[in-house]
Amino acid sequence: GLFFWHLKNTGIPCHFVHLCRVANDRLITFQYFNFLKRMYVTQCNKDLSQRAKPKSDSVASPFRDLQQLDQEKKVIHKIRPISPVHQPLSETSIRNEVREMKSAAETEDSVTPVRAESKEDRQWKEMKLQLKDLPGILARLSKIKLTALVVSTASAGFAMAPVPFDLTCFLIASLGTGLASCAANSINQFFEVPFDSNMNRTKNRPLVRGQISPLLAVCFAASCGVPGIALLTLGVNPLTGALGAFNIFLYTCCYTPLKRMSIANTWVGAVVGAIPPVMGWTAATGSLDAGALLLGGILYSWQFPHFNALSWGLREDYSRGGYCMMSVTHPGLCRRVALRHCLALLGLSAVAPLLDITTWTFPIISLPINLYISYLGFRFYRDADRSSSRKLFFCSLWHLPLLLLVMFTCKKSFLEKEDKGDLLGESHGRAMEIRLP
């Protein structure tokens, strides 16, 4: 009874009930009971509450002392002793003093502009576009080296077509393909400005550095894409123009956003690179034949060892830029796919004479270079280091032009196919004559 009377006088039950009412129908947990305990201690038993210790004076860091000493440093000039009044100054001493004063003034004048220049360099400057720099900026905006590769593969497709060579059609097709490639590359850089700024390989692109405005980049892309597709459609044939427009759409609207979403972007990009030789073939023949599909397949397979080896050395850049590449997310798959398509080049080269595109000397002559790139692909698959990936990448740079050159030299001429077609026609006519009474 005395215990409950003491609790009633101290008011503990009332405080506890008041604190429980504040809970507002919340779940009572162990942490909440601890909270109630702390509230009771701080409100009722002020003697048990913890007292904050006063903070001790912070110890001055030695770096701050050094900074203060540097600020307190004063320039001390050496003062020459003044000669007595009764001794006159000589002319040589006066001349020396005047020279010293002039040299000190010159050094002070030379120090101040250097400091001013350093301050100006640190400030933001507005970059003004000059007319003489515009061609170089537009060349980097359109990725002129990649565009040259696209035009060369389209020219190879045109040259491999089994039709007489038409120079006018060849020039129009090459110009239209180049303009379409410039438009696609410019739109690609326009979309990837915030991501290119995070990569060392692309941080100096014109749009990232602000050398050209986004509006001017879009206008340049439109001024290249519209005439390019018009040249391919009206000057060559509608099929080639449709392939060019489809390639621009595939590169800008499918491949570019997929680079940050899925590793499927590599396969889509390989299709983009395989279309230009098909466009060259259709520009010459006006139809999609087995030869066009074979050239597209060679370019499709070549791009996997080329790009996978390149991306292997740029994994840090791609991960920093937020790109979803095989070399970053699936390194094992990256090496397997590169080796798989190196071996596919052997099979595609062997199919060429079966489709009556080249002679049987082409698989034999191209065998050493195909075996060599397959060997480097195997080393890249086995070692998985920067050295093997670099060797595979540089091998792919000379492998494709050499393979296309060998393919062109072993091409079956148009006259041979025409003679073969005449012979088949004559034999068919003789058979019809024999059958007729």
Side-chain angles (χ1 to χ4, degrees):
L2 291 174
F3 177 71
F4 285 106
W5 177 78
H6 176 69
L7 289 177
K8 184 177 181 181
N9 290 336
T10 53
I12 292 175
C14 297
H15 285 288
F16 185 75
V17 171
H18 174 70
L19 292 174
C20 288
R21 287 177 180 175
V22 179
N24 293 328
D25 298 332
R26 289 181 296 183
L27 295 175
I28 304 300
T29 60
F30 178 75
Q31 288 82 2
Y32 189 69
F33 275 116
N34 286 335
F35 170 73
L36 295 178
K37 179 182 177 182
R38 287 195 300 271
M39 290 286 293
Y40 171 73
V41 168
T42 53
Q43 291 180 8
C44 298
N45 297 332
K46 295 182 180 179
D47 296 335
L48 298 178
S49 60
Q50 296 180 354
R51 295 180 181 178
K53 295 183 179 180
K55 290 185 178 180
S56 59
D57 296 334
S58 60
V59 181
S61 64
F63 300 102
R64 188 175 179 183
D65 294 340
L66 291 174
Q67 292 176 0
Q68 290 178 357
L69 289 174
D70 292 338
Q71 292 176 359
E72 291 175 359
K73 281 183 180 179
K74 295 180 180 179
V75 180
I76 300 174
H77 298 280
K78 185 177 180 181
I79 302 175
R80 285 191 166 195
I82 302 174
S83 58
V85 180
H86 62 275
Q87 293 180 358
L89 294 172
S90 60
E91 294 181 359
T92 57
S93 62
I94 293 173
R95 290 175 182 175
N96 293 333
E97 289 180 359
V98 171
R99 288 175 184 173
E100 289 179 358
M101 291 173 65
K102 287 182 179 180
S103 62
E106 289 176 357
T107 53
E108 289 179 358
D109 294 338
S110 62
V111 169
T112 51
V114 171
R115 292 176 181 174
E117 288 178 1
S118 63
K119 289 181 180 179
E120 290 179 359
D121 292 339
R122 294 176 182 176
Q123 294 177 355
W124 289 96
K125 295 181 181 179
E126 182 181 359
M127 300 187 71
K128 295 182 180 180
L129 179 62
Q130 297 182 1
L131 190 61
K132 63 178 182 179
D133 299 332
L134 188 59
I137 292 173
L138 294 179
R140 284 186 285 124
L141 181 67
S142 60
K143 301 179 184 178
I144 194 65
K145 294 181 180 179
L146 181 60
T147 301
L149 178 63
V150 169
V151 173
S152 62
T153 55
S155 303
F158 191 95
M160 286 300 300
V163 292
F165 186 79
D166 187 357
L167 182 60
T168 305
C169 183
F170 172 75
L171 293 177
I172 294 175
S174 300
L175 180 60
T177 305
L179 290 174
S181 177
C182 289
N185 292 328
S186 302
I187 297 172
N188 172 262
Q189 290 196 34
F190 171 77
F191 285 140
E192 293 184 341
V193 170
F195 310 100
D196 288 343
S197 60
N198 296 324
M199 299 174 60
N200 293 326
R201 188 173 66 96
T202 57
K203 66 182 180 182
N204 292 322
R205 285 180 174 175
L207 283 172
V208 177
R209 296 187 62 187
Q211 294 176 332
I212 189 173
S213 64
L215 178 61
L216 186 56
V218 172
C219 293
F220 173 72
S223 62
C224 289
V226 174
I229 300 302
L231 279 174
L232 293 174
T233 304
L234 303 176
V236 183
N237 53 60
L239 178 59
T240 307
L243 285 174
F246 174 70
N247 212 22
I248 293 177
F249 170 78
L250 198 63
Y251 188 71
T252 57
C253 300
C254 297
Y255 171 70
T256 300
L258 271 177
K259 288 169 70 175
R260 294 179 298 276
M261 296 169 60
S262 171
I263 61 172
N265 68 83
T266 308
W267 282 268
V268 177
V271 174
V272 172
I275 289 178
V278 179
M279 292 171 60
W281 185 283
T282 58
T285 62
S287 61
L288 276 172
D289 301 330
L293 299 179
L294 176 66
L295 286 171
I298 290 175
L299 264 294
Y300 178 82
S301 292
W302 172 83
Q303 287 180 88
F304 285 96
H306 171 76
F307 181 74
N308 287 12
L310 173 66
S311 63
W312 190 265
L314 300 173
R315 286 176 293 175
E316 293 83 2
D317 257 9
Y318 281 124
S319 59
R320 195 182 302 115
Y323 293 113
C324 189
M325 296 297 174
M326 271 194 293
S327 58
V328 179
T329 58
H330 300 77
L333 181 63
C334 176
R335 292 180 280 120
R336 288 196 302 272
V337 169
L339 176 59
R340 190 181 304 157
H341 285 276
C342 285
L343 298 174
L345 290 172
L346 288 166
L348 290 170
S349 300
V351 171
L354 295 175
L355 297 176
D356 205 22
I357 298 170
T358 63
T359 60
W360 283 99
T361 56
F362 171 65
I364 299 172
I365 298 176
S366 63
L367 183 63
I369 58 176
N370 287 333
L371 285 177
Y372 183 67
I373 196 172
S374 300
Y375 166 71
L376 293 180
F378 173 73
R379 286 195 58 184
F380 173 59
Y381 170 75
R382 183 191 63 185
D383 299 338
D385 55 359
R386 290 182 181 271
S387 176
S388 59
S389 64
R390 194 181 300 113
K391 289 180 181 178
L392 179 61
F393 171 72
F394 284 113
C395 175
S396 66
L397 293 178
W398 59 261
H399 174 271
L400 180 65
L402 187 58
L403 183 66
L404 293 177
L405 181 62
V406 172
M407 193 175 188
F408 178 73
T409 55
C410 299
K411 166 192 170 182
K412 282 192 175 181
S413 64
F414 174 71
L415 295 176
E416 290 180 1
K417 290 190 174 184
E418 198 174 25
D419 294 339
K420 187 177 179 181
D422 293 340
L423 290 173
L424 289 174
E426 290 177 2
S427 62
H428 183 69
R430 289 175 184 174
M432 291 293 293
E433 288 178 0
I434 293 170
R435 290 177 185 174
L436 290 174

